[in-house]
Amino acid sequence: MILPITNRYSSIKFSAGENDDNKLPYTHDTVLKNTFSNRMRIGFDKFTNAMTLYPTKGLKGSKNANFYEFLTMGMVPYLVGSGMLMAVFNAVNKKFEHSAQKTAVPLGKKMALGVLFYGIMKEVSKSFVTRPVNWITGVDTELPYAKVIYELPDNINDTDITSIEYHKVFESVEFPRWDLLYCDETKGQKRNKYYDRVSRKLGMGKNLKDSDQEVKPRIKEIVVKTNLAKNVSSYLWAAVGVGLAFQEPWDKLFNVKGFKKSTSQFFESLGDSVINFFKGEGKQFFGKHSGKVLFGAAALSSILGVVNVVASSHRPSKLDSADIIEKDRKYVVN
């Protein structure tokens, strides 16, 4: 029999009574601030569960295993595959002859660095679109929330079984979690505070009677266009990361020994690699300007993506009858 794996970082806890100390941090679905610390905490929680708890539930055939857990476990083969790809590039280098090894070792390390830079740039570059859109429109398409799941008992001794899943408010374009964006009036807050702020940002006016109904179509449009721009630009920035990893200055880093020296050399090699990436090599157009073209395409995709979102968000998504009918004229219905 396979027993469930639990640890102090697990988002799933079991409580047998009201006095249990291991209670969930949330009693209901809760919007979280989109801060670096929260993103790191969510990522760590999802990763530890994907490595331990979710596979165990799947192997047991738990009735509570769901699609969220299946998708979360996808990060495990992604990371393992990246590690194996790095290892493959460098595994047989020692078996080459000295002359061949001298060329193969730096190349293998650059390939491994390319895999690392690909993943980093792909994730970091998404904020090049989402952050400006949030600043200008007030709509954070990456806004996270903690969802409380009430699970079925696996045996008669299980009581109060709940778990936490981390989602995004605009994860579904068709069914966003609008309810989480309303404020609690019992705490003296205006119910439509969020929607009022977005309507002001979009230039739709202040103190609208039904700001939530006015703003929701615009928000959906912003989310769709932001997601498209984010996905397209992230792959171009990932390609930039791979290009930087293959620059010659990294050879200096590979020959340095000692943590302190390697740390300072890393930033030196990174700066020199950026310069080399822009300067290019050789006299042919491709070798001389390929770095500039790739960087320009990545930067332009982010800029145009933000411009497209912002430009469209400041104009009506569809005509209303009030925009067509002139109130000072008489109309006859046949």
Side-chain angles (χ1 to χ4, degrees):
M1 177 179 179
I2 300 177
L3 298 176
I5 298 174
T6 57
N7 56 57
R8 64 189 182 94
Y9 299 109
S10 174
S11 66
I12 297 185
K13 298 179 174 60
F14 304 88
S15 59
E18 296 181 356
N19 296 324
D20 190 12
D21 293 330
N22 294 324
K23 291 183 178 179
L24 288 171
Y26 312 103
T27 57
H28 57 278
D29 294 359
T30 307
V31 174
L32 307 175
K33 291 183 178 180
N34 189 9
T35 60
F36 178 76
S37 60
N38 275 345
R39 290 195 297 271
M40 290 296 293
R41 181 172 61 83
I42 291 171
F44 179 76
D45 187 80
K46 292 175 74 172
F47 177 73
T48 53
N49 284 332
M51 292 290 291
T52 57
L53 190 62
Y54 297 161
T56 303
K57 291 175 68 176
L59 290 171
K60 286 176 58 181
S62 172
K63 65 186 77 173
N64 294 308
N66 57 31
F67 193 58
Y68 168 83
E69 297 176 1
F70 169 76
L71 291 178
T72 303
M73 285 191 290
M75 69 172 64
V76 176
Y78 182 85
L79 294 173
V80 172
S82 297
M84 291 183 66
L85 198 59
M86 293 179 184
V88 166
F89 293 146
N90 298 277
V92 296
N93 287 344
K94 293 182 179 179
K95 296 184 178 181
F96 293 152
E97 295 181 1
H98 182 71
S99 57
Q101 188 180 129
K102 194 173 181 180
T103 304
V105 170
L107 180 60
K109 290 181 178 179
K110 287 179 182 178
M111 287 182 173
L113 196 64
V115 174
L116 184 63
F117 279 10
Y118 176 92
I120 292 174
M121 290 299 294
K122 188 171 181 292
E123 289 302 313
V124 171
S125 62
K126 292 177 181 179
S127 63
F128 298 166
V129 174
T130 58
R131 289 298 180 87
V133 168
N134 184 22
W135 293 335
I136 298 170
T137 67
V139 179
D140 185 0
T141 59
E142 301 293 304
L143 188 64
Y145 76 93
K147 183 176 182 180
V148 179
I149 303 295
Y150 297 94
E151 298 187 338
L152 297 171
D154 288 321
N155 57 67
I156 58 174
N157 295 320
D158 290 338
T159 59
D160 254 354
I161 305 176
T162 53
S163 66
I164 296 293
E165 295 180 359
Y166 294 102
H167 296 270
K168 294 177 182 177
V169 172
F170 301 109
E171 194 170 75
S172 169
V173 178
E174 289 299 321
F175 304 101
R177 288 299 304 272
W178 300 120
D179 56 303
L180 297 178
L181 300 176
Y182 291 102
C183 293
D184 190 353
E185 291 180 301
T186 60
K187 296 181 179 179
Q189 297 176 326
K190 192 174 180 180
R191 177 174 169 78
N192 283 1
K193 181 180 178 181
Y194 173 84
Y195 299 102
D196 290 340
R197 180 169 62 85
V198 173
S199 67
R200 289 195 301 270
K201 288 268 192 179
L202 297 180
M204 298 175 63
K206 301 178 181 179
N207 300 320
L208 299 179
K209 184 177 180 181
D210 297 307
S211 59
D212 54 341
Q213 300 304 317
E214 295 286 342
V215 167
K216 284 177 181 180
R218 303 282 190 91
I219 292 178
K220 280 190 175 184
E221 185 178 339
I222 290 170
V223 170
V224 172
K225 293 188 175 183
T226 300
N227 287 342
L228 174 63
K230 175 185 67 177
N231 291 332
V232 171
S233 65
S234 65
Y235 283 101
L236 290 172
W237 283 111
V240 171
V242 174
L244 286 175
F246 278 85
Q247 300 306 308
E248 187 176 346
W250 291 112
D251 293 339
K252 296 179 182 178
L253 175 66
F254 302 146
N255 295 324
V256 171
K257 295 181 180 180
F259 180 75
K260 289 185 178 180
K261 289 184 179 180
S262 61
T263 302
S264 60
Q265 184 60 51
F266 173 83
F267 291 103
E268 182 181 334
S269 297
L270 178 61
D272 292 340
S273 295
V274 172
I275 295 172
N276 278 24
F277 185 71
F278 275 92
K279 290 175 65 175
E281 297 178 355
K283 295 183 179 180
Q284 295 183 351
F285 178 85
F286 181 79
K288 190 73 174 175
H289 301 288
S290 58
K292 300 185 189 73
V293 171
L294 181 56
F295 178 84
L300 193 63
S301 67
S302 296
I303 294 170
L304 291 178
V306 173
V307 170
N308 180 50
V309 174
V310 173
S312 62
S313 67
H314 282 81
R315 64 173 184 264
S317 56
K318 59 183 180 179
L319 290 174
D320 186 74
S321 59
D323 300 318
I324 302 174
I325 299 176
E326 298 178 24
K327 297 181 179 179
D328 58 343
R329 296 185 59 182
K330 296 181 179 180
Y331 294 87
V332 178
V333 179
N334 295 324

